[in-house]
Amino acid sequence: KIYSELAETIMGLGAEMKKKNSVTSDVGGGARRNFVGSNAAGEVSLKNESQRDHKGIALEYILHALDLFDVAKNSAEPLISIGDAKVSSASVRLHYLAGRLLMSTDNPVGGAVHLKIAADQTKNWPSLQLSIQRALRVCEERCLVVDDDSSSKSARLEESKISCAKLLFEPETCAMLTDKEIKHAQSKSWELINKEVVWKDDASGTSRPPFDFALS
């Protein structure tokens, strides 16, 4: 928990430094004299801080936290219970952060691994799972761009089709998709842009598929 909180703090600091740098570059101005108590003295330390790799540091914290999580889970006398809600949410959060950080550091293949784990662990929370699956779809598209292995690329395309089909056939998930997302999922699943499946509104007024079944 401490390492994950440290990682999020570092990420927040990096975002603030990025904002400050963009504001400073827009304002411009000449050089300031450096004396005790001057703004220039403080700006030196801020400049040093802005040059740190905040994403890389945060990723190290997250991966270390995941290592500690696995040790606690797989030890001879487990220190944590996977069935515990707090433990499950902490694990999901760690894998989600790891996935997004790896994506932002141009490693979508590594990011997809963690996002898939997070998605698998959120089956009982449809809205949260959908948010993770949205990030996973973006990550998978980046994987297709960087993957040079034809067999691996083909497997990723097939996996992407299946995941999109599952989104459409899960009533709770489908009800939360936007019209644009539904059309995108349809084109990915059946590779026919002009082929549409239109769900009818039920008595509750919620847009849902007219049936529910599991894919084999």
Side-chain angles (χ1 to χ4, degrees):
K1 181 180 177 181
I2 293 173
Y3 280 108
S4 63
E5 289 175 352
L6 278 171
E8 293 193 60
T9 302
I10 290 290
M11 289 165 62
L13 176 60
E16 287 300 318
M17 294 306 301
K18 190 174 180 180
K19 282 185 195 174
K20 181 171 179 60
N21 287 340
S22 64
V23 170
T24 303
S25 61
D26 290 341
V27 173
R32 300 181 182 178
R33 295 180 61 189
N34 191 353
F35 57 88
V36 176
S38 71
N39 288 335
E43 286 175 0
V44 173
S45 60
L46 285 176
K47 183 179 180 181
N48 292 335
E49 181 63 37
S50 66
Q51 292 174 346
R52 295 177 69 196
D53 180 12
H54 295 95
K55 288 181 180 179
I57 296 169
L59 181 58
E60 286 182 10
Y61 283 138
I62 290 294
L63 294 179
H64 185 63
L66 284 170
D67 287 340
L68 293 176
F69 194 94
D70 287 337
V71 169
K73 180 178 66 176
N74 299 319
S75 59
E77 296 182 3
L79 303 175
I80 56 177
S81 172
I82 299 304
D84 186 272
K86 289 184 178 179
V87 173
S88 297
S89 61
S91 174
V92 170
R93 181 68 177 163
L94 288 170
H95 282 293
Y96 176 74
L97 288 173
R100 294 305 298 263
L101 281 168
L102 286 166
M103 281 176 63
S104 66
T105 55
D106 295 328
N107 184 2
V109 176
V113 173
H114 290 282
L115 289 174
K116 285 176 184 176
I117 294 173
D120 287 340
Q121 293 179 349
T122 53
K123 291 179 180 178
N124 294 329
W125 304 312
S127 60
L128 179 58
Q129 187 183 44
L130 179 58
S131 297
I132 295 172
Q133 285 175 326
R134 282 171 173 151
L136 180 57
R137 285 204 305 275
V138 174
C139 189
E140 287 174 342
E141 288 176 3
R142 294 187 186 177
C143 287
L144 291 173
V145 174
V146 301
D147 197 346
D148 296 328
D149 185 4
S150 58
S151 60
S152 175
K153 200 167 188 174
S154 177
R156 288 187 187 280
L157 282 169
E158 189 62 27
E159 189 175 355
S160 179
K161 288 181 187 178
I162 293 172
S163 64
C164 285
K166 284 182 178 179
L167 284 177
L168 295 172
F169 290 130
E170 287 289 342
E172 291 183 336
T173 304
C174 186
M176 291 181 284
L177 293 173
T178 64
D179 291 341
K180 184 178 180 180
E181 286 176 325
I182 289 175
K183 289 181 180 180
H184 177 74
Q186 289 171 352
S187 65
K188 281 281 186 181
S189 301
W190 294 286
E191 293 185 337
L192 291 172
I193 298 175
N194 60 346
K195 178 70 175 178
E196 292 188 6
V197 175
V198 180
W199 306 133
K200 301 295 184 181
D201 290 346
D202 61 13
S204 66
T206 305
S207 179
R208 300 169 66 91
F211 47 78
D212 178 23
F213 61 88
L215 295 177
S216 63

